[in-house]
Amino acid sequence: MNFHIMTLFPEMILQGLNTSITGRAIEKGIINIEAVNIRDYAFNKHNKVDDYIYGGGAGMLMQAEPVYLCYEAILSGIIERTPKCRPRVIYLTPQGEVFTQKKAQELAKEEDLILLCGHYEGIDERVLEEIVTDNISIGDYVLTGGELPAMIVTDAVSRLIPGVLNNDVSAEFESFQDNLLEYPQYSRPEIWHGKRVPEVLLSGHHANIEKWRHEQSVLRTRQRRPDLIDISNK
Ligand code: ADE
């Protein structure tokens, strides 16, 4: 799967994603991440990509043209490889639909994803109207730019691609599966700070272990995220 991230800070994206599990997946060629600098598509000699906001207001806005030229360059590369592909373009914005595991699963089916990171006060609405297919927010708070949200979306989607996690089953039985949080887990030693590993987990009785884990998932979800139970009952 190919992620094409449009940003003013490509080094931030690459430093974040070139490590650990996503870094290994890149090395293995399972995912490919290109961070494209929008500034390379500035159409003036000062490489300026922002300007004042019509009608007044604090701060600067990213201009339409560099964003559009950057998008066109990425798109022509994708079309050369796969002529029929019209990739989804995700704009990271606090005004978007809140990102969920379900959305990650939906996006993991795509071959190419273009992610657009805003900065300053945002991006000229006209280019957003022309290229964006999905607006995604990572939560109801405002960050300084779309880079961290783009990294979060890329990470959550990547780990669903077969081969990215060493153990593919671990992507199946985890939090948010059936709107339940994951059950508590334990490793050695059997007793730590006087706390014992629950007896059932040492029993080797797989049916009982599954039953206990499901009960714990339900209990944990009720205590910590009752809103998820409400969603399932709707
Ligand atoms: N850009 C700034 N804040 C954001 C958020 N919460 N989600 C996505 N993109 C953002």
Side-chain angles (χ1 to χ4, degrees), residues 8 39 43-44 47-66 119-124 126:
L8 290 175
R39 202 175 293 283
F43 53 102
N44 55 68
N47 277 356
K48 216 169 78 76
V49 292
D50 60 325
D51 211 330
Y52 295 102
I53 302 173
Y54 278 123
M60 307 283 266
L61 206 62
M62 281 167 72
Q63 293 168 284
E65 187 66 0
H119 241 274
Y120 311 115
E121 287 308 308
I123 302 180
D124 190 305
R126 293 167 294 182

Side-chain angles (χ1 to χ4, degrees), residues 3-186:
F3 297 88
H4 313 265
I5 304 178
M6 300 166 63
T7 170
L8 290 175
F9 301 95
E11 67 289 353
M12 180 175 175
I13 302 278
L14 294 177
Q15 268 177 25
L17 293 172
N18 268 332
T19 45
S20 185
I21 294 176
T22 45
R24 233 176 300 133
I26 293 167
E27 259 175 37
K28 287 199 261 174
I30 304 169
I31 59 168
N32 177 48
I33 297 173
E34 66 160 351
V36 186
N37 197 338
I38 297 169
R39 202 175 293 283
D40 291 346
Y41 298 88
F43 53 102
N44 55 68
K45 62 177 190 289
H46 305 292
N47 277 356
K48 216 169 78 76
V49 292
D50 60 325
D51 211 330
Y52 295 102
I53 302 173
Y54 278 123
M60 307 283 266
L61 206 62
M62 281 167 72
Q63 293 168 284
E65 187 66 0
V67 172
Y68 191 69
L69 293 177
C70 180
Y71 162 74
E72 275 195 321
I74 294 170
L75 188 64
S76 67
I78 297 172
I79 289 175
E80 221 167 84
R81 188 169 28 85
T82 39
K84 288 205 183 112
C85 180
R86 281 289 170 280
R88 284 164 87 158
V89 179
I90 295 165
Y91 178 43
L92 288 313
T93 166
Q95 299 172 16
E97 157 192 357
V98 175
F99 190 55
T100 58
Q101 189 65 22
K102 188 160 165 261
K103 189 78 179 177
Q105 274 152 356
E106 181 191 316
L107 295 177
K109 295 182 187 135
E110 302 288 327
E111 189 49 39
D112 287 271
L113 280 182
I114 300 179
L115 293 108
L116 170 59
C117 307
H119 241 274
Y120 311 115
E121 287 308 308
I123 302 180
D124 190 305
E125 191 68 23
R126 293 167 294 182
V127 68
L128 298 177
E129 280 170 12
E130 284 204 16
I131 69 172
V132 171
T133 59
D134 301 71
N135 291 284
I136 291 185
S137 164
I138 58 154
D140 290 339
Y141 40 83
V142 182
L143 301 167
T144 55
E147 281 73 16
L148 286 170
M151 288 159 72
I152 285 169
V153 170
T154 304
D155 186 290
V157 172
S158 294
R159 62 189 291 289
L160 299 174
I161 310 291
V164 169
L165 297 181
N166 286 332
N167 177 6
D168 275 347
V169 280
S170 66
E172 284 170 30
F173 301 99
E174 60 187 3
S175 290
F176 303 112
Q177 200 67 33
D178 301 323
N179 271 335
L180 288 178
L181 300 182
E182 197 173 43
Y183 43 80
Q185 301 189 90
Y186 306 86

